[in-house]
Every structure is written in C-alpha cells, then in structure tokens.
Amino acid sequence: MACESEAACLVPADSARGNLTMATLSLSGIGKRFGGHIALSDVSLEVRSGEFICLLGASGCGKTTLLRIIAGLEQHDHGEILLEGRDLSAVPCHQRNIGMVFQSLALFPHLNVADNVAYGLKMQGVDKDSRQRRAAELLALVGLAGFDTRAVASLSGGQRQRVAIARALAQEPQLFLMDEPFSALDAGLRDRLQQEVKKLQQALGVTTVFVTHDQREAMALADRIVVLNEGRIEQAASPAEIYQHPASRYVADFIGDNNLIDIQVSGQRVQIGASELVVNDAAMTDRQGSQLLSVRPEQVNVSAIADHHDGLTGQLIMQRQVGALVEREIEVNGQLIKQTCFHHSAGGFETGQPVAVSWDWSRVWVVPA
Amino acid sequence: MGLVPGLGGASVIRSDRAATGLVSLFSFAILAVFFLIPLAFMVVVSFYKPDPMGFYQVAFSWENYAKYFSSFYLNVTLRSLWSAGVSAVLVVVLAFFAVLAIVDLSRRWQLFWAVLLLSLMCISEVIVGFSWLILLSESAGIPRLLEVLGLWDDPRSLSPSFGAMLIGLVTLGISIVMLILLPEAANRDRSIEEAAQTLGTPPLRVVFNITLPIFAPTLLALTLTMFIYLIGVFVMPTMLGRPSDWTMTVMISDKALGDANLPLGAALAVAMLIITVVVMLLSTMVSRRRLL
Amino acid sequence: MNLLAGRVVLWVIAFGIIAPIVIIAGVSVGASKTITFPPTALSLQWYQTLLTDPDWLRAIVTSLVVAVLAAIISVLLALAINYALWRTKSRFSKMVFSLGLGPFLLPPIILALGASLFWAELGWYGRIEATIVSHGIFFVTLPLVILSRGFAKITDEVVEAAQLMGATPVKLFRTIVLPLIMPYLLTGFAIVAIISVNEYLIANMISGFVVETLPIKIFNNVRYGYSPVVAAASMLFIGITVGVLALVARTIDLLALLGMTRDR
C-alpha cells in the first residue's frame, strides 16, 4: 500500500470507512494444540472494520495464542482466517500487512527511533526521503516530534511505548494487534496511554485486536470484549453487556465483583437456601428450575428488619469504609453476600447485627446455563 | 557468641574478617607463586643467553629478540595470525548459525547437543587431531569412502594440509563458542525478530537485518577470544598441518624441547603474550564501547 | 524459525563431531594391524593390549592420579577465592578472583613454557608433583566461575538467619555454605578432572619425558608410527568423559548450569 499523498496516509481510506458492517477479520473454527495441551478449540469471531476488540482472560486462556495466530507467528491446526475476504492460512507472517505491538515492545536496539518507525516501510521498498518524512509524521502523531535520531535505549518507558505504536502503524496495517502492551507500566502512565491509543485508533479507524488480562483496561478501551477461558470464547459483547448480562458462570464470576447465588424457581416462587420468596417479575420467573442468579454488590440493599419482614435476612459479618464507599459482607443462609454502597446512603449498622437483605428483581440477572 | 551479644558479636565479626582476609591472601599467594612468577621468570629468561649444553646462561641480551625480528620468525608470526584469524572467523560464523538452529529444537535435542558439545570440549585435542587424521587418510577416511563410491579413482590422503589444520582448529574451537552462545541465543527476546516479521521481513532477512546486528558485539568479542585460543594450539598444526603451516606455538615448543634454546623460546612466547594482551585489550574495548 | 541454513550447518557440525568418533570406534575393534576402515574383521585385542601392556597401564594410572589430585587443588583454591569474595566483597578478593580468570585467557603454550622454566629452575623438572600443581592452578578458572554461580544463590537473609540462631562463621560454613554449594563443587571437580586427563601441551612441557600421561603417550604413538591401540585408548577416554558428563547431567540441570532457562 504505497502512499501517494503523505498527509492523506493518516486518514483512513474511503473503502475501509464505507463498509463498516462488513467483517474485516473473520475467524472460524480456529483450533490449536501444543503437545497435549489444547490452547484453542473452535474459536469463531467476526471483527468489523474499524472495530476495537479486546481479548480478555486469565493467563493461559489462549488469548495471546489467538493473537499470534492472527499475526501469523503461530500456525493454527484447523479453522480459517479471512482478512477482508482473503484467506490468510497460507500467507506467511511477513506478507500479512499487520502492525503489532509486543508485550516486551521488541524495539530494534541497534536502530534509532526514526529507523525503528521506518523499518516496515524500508521492507516495502519505500524510498528514503518518504520514509523519513512518514516517520517524522508518525512520531509527531504519538507526541515524540524531534526524537528521530535518539537511541532507543535512552527513552523512558512511556516513550518506548509510543515508538512501538508508531512503528506498528507506519505501514498502514489492515490490522493493528497489541499484546498486553501496557502491563509493565505504572497505573498513571497506563491510564494516559490507554486514552491516547483509543483516540489514535478512532482517528485512524484501524481495526484493532488488543490482548489484556486487565478487565479495567478492556472496559476502558474496547468496543467489544471477547472473554476467553480455557481456549474457548465465553462471551463476545460490549463492555456494558458483559458486565450487566454475563453469558456464563465463568464470565459472571470473572468480570467485576459479583454475588453468584444458586436459586430454585417454581412458578412465582424462588427458593434461596432455606428461604422462599415470591417474585412478581415475569422476566425473572421466565426460566424455571435450578438457576444461577448474578447480583452485583451495588444492587444489594441492606436495611433493618421490619416487624412483618418476609424477605431474606442475614447477619452482618464485616463492614469497612473504602473512601466514599462502604463494603459489607452479610451471611445469608450460610452464603456470604457482598454489598457496596455510598457512605452517605449506607445507614448505620453494627457488625454482628441481623439485617434484611434485598434487591430489585427487575435489575438482577439470571445467568444462562 | 559471648554473653553480651553486642560485644561478642563484634569480636566474632572482627576475627571472621581477619580469617577471610587470610584466606584471600593465601589464595593470592598460591596464584602469584605458581601463575605470575613463572610468567615473570619467562620474561627474564627471554633476555638470557642460550647454552648449547644445557638450559641457559644468566645474562642480559637483546639477541633473542633480534633473532625474533629476523624474517623467518616474523613470517611464522604472520602465518600464525592468519591461520588463527581465519579459523576464529569460521568458528564464530558456523557456531552462530548452528546455535540459532539448536535453540529451536525440542528440549531433549537441546540436551543432546549440550552433552555432545561438552564432550567435544573435554575430549583431548590429541584425540580430536588423531580422529581427523584417520578421517582424512586414504586408508580409512573420506578419500577411501569416495573411492568405494567410485567418485575418486586415485585417492590420496587429505592431510597434512592447511585445510586439514583449519578443520582441526575449527573442531577445537566450535564447542566452546557454541556453549557460550547457546544461553544467549536461547534467552534472547524473540519478539524482536517477530516484530521484524510482522513489519514485512522474510525469515532469512530477519537473521541478517535483526539477529546478526544485535549479536554483533558478542560475536566480535568471541572472535577475538577464539583468536587468542587458537593461536596457542599445538597439536593441530603438528598433526594435521605441513611444516610450512607450523605456527608460533609449534616453534616455541620446538625451541624449548627440541633445540634446547629456551631463551629464544621464551622470547617467542613473550611476543605471543604481547599479541595476546593487545587482542584482549581490543576485546574489552569492543565490549565496553560497543563499537558496532 | 526453521532456517535451512542453520539446519545444514548443524548437520555438518554433527558430522564433524560424530564421524571421527565412529571411525575411531571402528578402528579400535578392527583386527588389522594397520589403521583401516571399515574393519575387515572384529577383535578386541587392542583393548586387551591397552589394559595389559604395562606401558599403557602406567600412562592410564599416571593420568588418573594427576587428574584427581589436580582437581582437588583446583576446587579447594576456587572455594577459598569464592568464599573470601562472598564474605567480604573486598576489592582485594575481587582482584584475586580476576587473577584466577587469567590462566584461561592466555594461550596454554605460554603457561606451559613459563611453568616448565619455573619447575626446572626449582629442580622439580620431571616430577609428577610439578604436573599436578600446574594443572591444579591453571585449570582453576572453570570451578571458580561455576562456584561463583553457587555462592550467588546463597542470599544474605539465609546467612543472617543462621547467625541469629547462633551459628559461628565456622559452623555457618559447615552447616549452610558447604551443603548449598556441594553440587557446584562436584561439578567443578569433575570438569577439572576431565580437562586434566585430556590435556597434552602443559603436561608435556612440564615433565613429559618422565611423567607420561595418556594424551602424551597417544601423541607420541601417533607421531612415531601408530597402532590401533591408540584408537582403543581414545575410545576409553571418550567413554570416561561422556560417562562423567552424563553423571553430572543427572545431578545438576545441565542446561540451567549453562545459563539456558527452562521456559521458552
């Protein structure tokens, strides 16, 4: 993809912008084994053009393997990868036209900043003047104007990060891949770079796949989060959807703080441990039998026990104030229920005191089996 | 420890310091007597006069060095520098590519290579030389094999020759260099090469564009180290080389044992010591300043 | 990266290491009096000669005596230098450590000539003690480096904990330091013994005419018309070397000792 007008390079091409609905990257049935260990099994995913996808999961869930398969650094055992309709399976890594930022950054220690950024263009045979101009533009874009001739070793962590991003974007990749690029940075710098990357990605409109184990990071960046567990996709949805409507027990447990409660539904009666409640919520009692209820700590209400109380009761085991929030643990029918609420609306309860526990049935979520 | 911990502890520490100091001093004395003094004495002997009847006569003369600078010994020196230089470069280049391949093998094969290389490093140069002598001989080696295969009608021994000597030197050096390079290659940051691939570099160009430049300082330092090591090898030139390939090492040993001209041998050894020190200084400069 | 060039080089090197050994093995079990390969008839007569001929036996015994005693000297010296450096970290002990690296950095011929002149001047020329001491001193570098890796693993906290429980320096050495570095000590011992058993040049220059070690005997045999006994002797050697290494590999993670980390 040679660039006629240098200035136009940073603006996404019209064709890419026009087909927002068409999947740019299409994975179907990807499987990969390492010896006896199954790293990925039957992973299918459609990524729209310009979309920002986060692959999220604990270490060893296969997220990095999936990224490396997309990059062509690892060969998948079966399945199909299409990039804008082209089958990538037989295309070696160096012909895929992707930009990748590595966890270790992988800057070339023997080249200066500008030569690092311009390296991919040199491989494409772009002439020296254009290369240098383009490198300078990209460095300006990531806030490193004038750093061209500096040695990589002389840069700070955040600056190296920016060089790595500029290098990956220099050749206008069809796909932008990032493998936990910010995991080594301190929290403040990480937040700032996350914002910058998000802005940059939106400005360039480049389809992006970002691997992370940090759910906060995934929530902050992604248009869509793909939660992976033991080589399988548990759920692929927007951050809000993932949080409010987890599709499986794993996701409900893994994302955010949660109370997972086993319930038995028959008619309008819901049994929780020894307690039985009547629930007047059609959506809630839609699914009968044994179900898993997901109640976020901020959805839990704690109150004094009224005279004719027929809801859940429990004993306040622990409470502590963390800044503006109060965190509590209440033992209900032998299970610990976590609650968080703002300090000003917490109400005064003694530790050890019996309390009434309730929540709005129309807002809690029954996790699909 | 005494009843008063503070006092007892302090005195224990003090006597401990003194004891370890003595240990240090003692080991220094051993190294000085058996390593430094022999070297110094060799320098002294290089100024003595040879005694045709026995070892040497105590004297101070530049005669041995004057002899050294006669064209014959200078030629021998240049020849030694050449053969050591060529074989050092060969060793490092071969070892570099071989090691890159080894670290991509499975762990079991890596262990196989480690044991193979350690064995080769430990096996006497006499045996390595002897085995190449047989392998290159017309009665039992490669020439015989070629004859049996009908590829060579009139097989002749391939040694002694300059090439045979080089093969011997390379076999000696390669195990050491590979063992030094193995951990560096195994523990290198692979993602740098992967980054080059994602940026459109074909695999072979990755080695030359990225891996080689990153390893260049190490390889240069290793080449210089090998150079010093190979210039001092005695067995290969005598077993596999022609007399016209004989190096300074052979001459030194010859003067010391054959002609019984120890002072001249010592002068040759001093010349070699100076070359060694110069190369070592170069080597430290390379690793300090990262000339490349 | 499956680089064809690397693979090819690897096979060439493997050939260069293994082929000569195969040929020597073939010659050593051949019945012919001259060196031929492949052997026309098999026979173990050369091994028999090696283990019965008093000349060869004496060389084997001499080599083993030199190797074991030299290895003891070497390891003790390396231990002393490392212990002092570890305890005090003083500039002097660092200097002694670097001095101990010296012999490995110089061409052996220089060491050999220096030692030969030195022992001759002392009047010890031709004595086995001279060979033993020089081997012990000149090969100190490898155990020195190996032991320093062992000492690096003993943290200050362990020492301080032992001291708090009342260990004196001597007890500390016996109960903490020694057990922790024992594998490194043994590895160093094995390596010096192997190098010494195989070394030709220094042994020959110091007292080669009188103290004839196995490599000297092999070399002289090769130089002045050789018989297949030499091949049998070489095989014995290779057997001992590989055997000791395999033993070392069982007691200590060889790849880790070489600095190759486990995960990759």
Side-chain angles (χ1 to χ4, degrees), chain A residues 223-245:
Chain A
D223 297 327
R224 202 145 56 100
I225 293 176
V226 177
V227 181
L228 284 164
N229 178 37
E230 292 179 346
R232 290 174 186 282
I233 293 183
E234 292 275 342
Q235 188 172 12
S238 72
E241 179 73 10
I242 291 246
Y243 186 75
Q244 286 157 15
H245 303 137

Side-chain angles (χ1 to χ4, degrees), chain B residues 1 12 16-17 20-21 23-28 30-39 41-42 45 55-56 93-95 97-105 107 110-128 130-135 137 139-142 144 171 174 178-179 182-183 186-188 190 193 197 203-204 206-207 211 225 228-229 231-235 238-239 246 248-249 252-254 256-257 262 265-266 269 272-273 276-277 280, chain C residues 1-3 5-7 9-11 13-21 23-24 27 35-38 77 80-81 83-85 87-88 90 92-93 95-96 99-100 102-111 113-121 125 133-134 137-138 140 142 163-164 166-169 191 194-195 197-201 204-205 209 215-216 218-219 222-223 226-227 230-231 233-235 237-238 241-242 245-246 249 253-256 258-264:
Chain B
M1 260 198 224
V12 164
D16 180 34
R17 283 252 170 85
T20 23
V23 170
S24 223
L25 205 63
F26 178 72
S27 29
F28 174 73
I30 299 253
L31 283 174
V33 170
F34 296 109
F35 171 48
L36 291 182
I37 290 182
L39 284 186
F41 185 57
M42 185 185 80
V45 169
F55 290 112
Y56 35 69
V93 168
L94 289 176
F97 285 103
V99 159
L100 286 188
I102 289 178
V103 296
D104 281 350
L105 299 174
R107 195 157 176 93
Q110 287 185 31
L111 196 64
F112 164 80
W113 272 99
V115 171
L116 192 66
L117 291 170
L118 277 171
S119 309
L120 177 63
M121 189 177 79
C122 292
I123 286 169
S124 175
E125 51 181 325
V126 173
I127 294 175
V128 174
F130 172 60
S131 57
W132 276 112
L133 199 63
I134 297 180
L135 198 62
S137 71
S139 60
I142 295 171
R144 168 102 177 103
T171 320
I174 203 155
M178 282 174 75
L179 284 170
L182 263 179
N187 304 340
R188 75 188 196 271
R190 300 288 185 110
E193 287 149 46
Q197 278 188 60
L204 192 62
V206 171
V207 174
T211 323
T225 312
I228 294 174
Y229 172 70
I231 208 173
V233 171
F234 172 79
V235 173
T238 39
M239 267 194 181
W246 285 1
M248 285 177 90
T249 307
I252 294 171
S253 158
D254 223 38
L257 298 175
L262 282 167
M272 190 190 250
L273 186 62
T276 307
V277 170
M280 273 189 324
Chain C
M1 230 184 312
N2 271 322
L3 278 179
R7 287 292 165 99
V9 171
L10 209 55
W11 283 113
I13 293 172
F15 172 82
I17 299 173
I18 295 170
I21 295 175
I23 298 228
I24 293 184
V27 171
I35 288 183
T36 45
F37 188 89
L77 184 58
I81 294 173
Y83 178 74
L85 178 61
R87 282 298 278 180
T88 64
S90 71
F92 182 70
S93 54
M95 194 273 284
V96 178
L99 188 60
F104 203 67
L105 300 175
L106 294 179
I109 181 69
I110 295 177
L111 300 175
L113 185 65
S116 135
L117 292 167
F118 173 78
W119 292 118
E121 190 71 13
Y125 185 80
V133 171
S134 282
I137 305 297
F138 291 159
V140 76
L142 283 176
Q163 281 171 339
L164 283 174
T168 61
I191 285 183
I194 291 173
I195 295 178
V197 136
N198 284 288
E199 202 276 337
Y200 165 76
L201 189 57
N204 189 45
M205 296 265 303
F209 285 117
I216 298 174
I218 295 175
F219 186 83
V222 172
R223 223 177 179 185
Y226 44 77
S227 79
V230 179
S234 302
M235 285 316 290
F237 247 94
I238 293 169
T241 305
V242 174
L245 278 176
D253 184 353
L254 212 55
L255 293 185
L258 292 173
M260 295 164 78
T261 47
R262 259 216 179 277
D263 53 320
R264 99 145 186 75

Side-chain angles (χ1 to χ4, degrees), chain B residues 209-222:
Chain B
N209 278 1
I210 308 295
T211 323
L212 196 58
I214 290 174
F215 270 85
T218 312
L219 296 183
L220 191 58
L222 275 176

Side-chain angles (χ1 to χ4, degrees), chain B residues 124-172:
Chain B
S124 175
E125 51 181 325
V126 173
I127 294 175
V128 174
F130 172 60
S131 57
W132 276 112
L133 199 63
I134 297 180
L135 198 62
L136 297 173
S137 71
E138 59 190 62
S139 60
I142 295 171
R144 168 102 177 103
L145 183 72
L146 293 178
E147 189 193 16
V148 170
L149 295 175
L151 294 171
W152 197 357
D153 297 335
D154 175 26
R156 237 169 276 158
S157 202
L158 293 171
S159 79
S161 67
F162 183 69
M165 182 176 84
L166 278 193
I167 290 179
L169 290 175
V170 169
T171 320
L172 271 190

